[in-house]
Amino acid sequence: GDSVTQTEGQVTVSESKSLIINCTYSATSIAYPNLFWYVRYPGEGLQLLLKVITAGQKGSSRGFEATYNKETTSFHLQKASVQESDSAVYYCALSDPLLLSGSFNKLTFGAGTRLAVCP
Amino acid sequence: EAAVTQSPRNKVAVTGGKVTLSCNQTNNHNNMYWYRQDTGHGLRLIHYSYGAGSTEKGDIPDGYKASRPSQENFSLILELATPSQTSVYFCASGENRANQAPLFGEGTRLSVL
């Protein structure tokens, strides 16, 4: 089956420092899956941060970037300078772009990475 | 504004009791989903629906039922709740088109004692 593996547990970064959260995927039945980063801020629901549906492309939002690398099957999340307000749980996910398979945009998630930004 | 609303936000249930989690969306989306999220695991799909009257099993459907009485509403039902079902549950809705990113609700924290 399909799976997503991301940086485990918690990552602690000082404010204004750079961040990378690793994400790799395995999509056994999907040649080019859609890739997503979702974020859950404290006390809030899950929000889409960014998505990329084309291999080789980069998505960006709120200062975060992620590049779809089909050679290394990776979709790492990066930010050059984090802020305290970025503290949240980040989830990498994939879906099958082909609705003909009956997947109905079902998402397969990684385990989540908690980001703590220290002042 | 697009919205997915879950109720209740928090629930404490007893083992063996019946629990119903409700989800309402105002997005006119065909597809709706129920996921659960546990520490160390990503969100896992329990049931989904592609329209009123339809329900489909996801990856971990055992112990759960779902009901989609209308386009807007999708319920998750635990007929006989067990402590292993203590979790955070997320509902989502999405368009039945390729490359869409489902919209999620705020989650329901369920504790089964």
Side-chain angles (χ1 to χ4, degrees):
Chain A
D2 306 325
S3 64
V4 175
T5 302
Q6 60 181 103
T7 301
E8 287 188 11
Q10 178 164 312
V11 172
T12 302
V13 181
S14 298
E15 200 165 24
S16 80
K17 298 298 185 185
S18 64
L19 165 74
I20 182 165
I21 298 176
N22 291 326
C23 173
T24 57
Y25 66 88
S26 171
T28 56
S29 60
I30 309 168
Y32 296 105
N34 295 332
L35 299 176
F36 308 83
W37 278 100
Y38 278 84
V39 59
R40 188 181 185 201
Y41 296 103
E44 297 185 17
L46 212 61
Q47 304 174 24
L48 178 68
L49 180 60
L50 56 88
K51 76 173 186 181
V52 180
I53 64 173
T54 304
Q57 297 296 307
K58 179 170 69 178
S60 60
S61 174
R62 308 180 206 177
F64 289 89
E65 296 182 339
T67 300
Y68 188 155
N69 189 322
K70 66 181 176 64
E71 284 77 25
T72 59
T73 63
S74 66
F75 191 55
H76 306 320
L77 184 67
Q78 302 183 70
K79 189 172 186 181
S81 175
V82 298
Q83 304 168 9
E84 207 169 342
S85 58
D86 294 325
S87 297
V89 181
Y90 293 81
Y91 296 93
C92 185
L94 65 80
S95 73
D96 184 345
L98 298 179
L99 288 185
L100 290 176
S101 69
S103 64
F104 297 101
N105 289 320
K106 171 192 129 177
L107 291 163
T108 297
F109 284 88
T113 303
R114 182 176 299 276
L115 171 64
V117 179
C118 300
Chain B
E1 184 175 318
V4 178
T5 304
Q6 295 182 228
S7 63
R9 295 292 311 280
N10 292 281
K11 173 76 176 177
V12 178
V14 296
T15 298
K18 182 177 180 179
V19 177
T20 300
L21 306 183
S22 299
C23 179
N24 176 273
Q25 55 107 352
T26 58
N27 313 313
N28 199 31
H29 287 163
N30 287 328
N31 297 347
M32 295 187 75
Y33 313 82
W34 276 107
Y35 289 85
R36 63 177 284 177
Q37 196 274 315
D38 303 289
T39 304
H41 292 276
L43 280 74
R44 293 177 288 174
L45 184 65
I46 306 170
H47 284 288
Y48 62 99
S49 165
Y50 47 86
S54 89
T55 61
E56 303 292 332
K57 293 181 179 180
D59 297 326
I60 53 166
D62 293 345
Y64 302 93
K65 291 183 179 179
S67 173
R68 182 90 182 268
S70 65
Q71 178 85 336
E72 297 78 20
N73 295 293
F74 189 39
S75 297
L76 185 68
I77 303 155
L78 291 66
E79 295 278 5
L80 295 170
T82 68
S84 65
Q85 295 174 312
T86 293
S87 187
V88 180
Y89 292 85
F90 287 97
C91 176
S93 74
E95 295 179 71
N96 194 24
R97 294 190 293 120
N99 307 326
Q100 298 303 300
L103 283 170
F104 282 80
E106 295 185 341
T108 295
R109 183 174 297 275
L110 173 65
S111 297
V112 182
L113 306 179

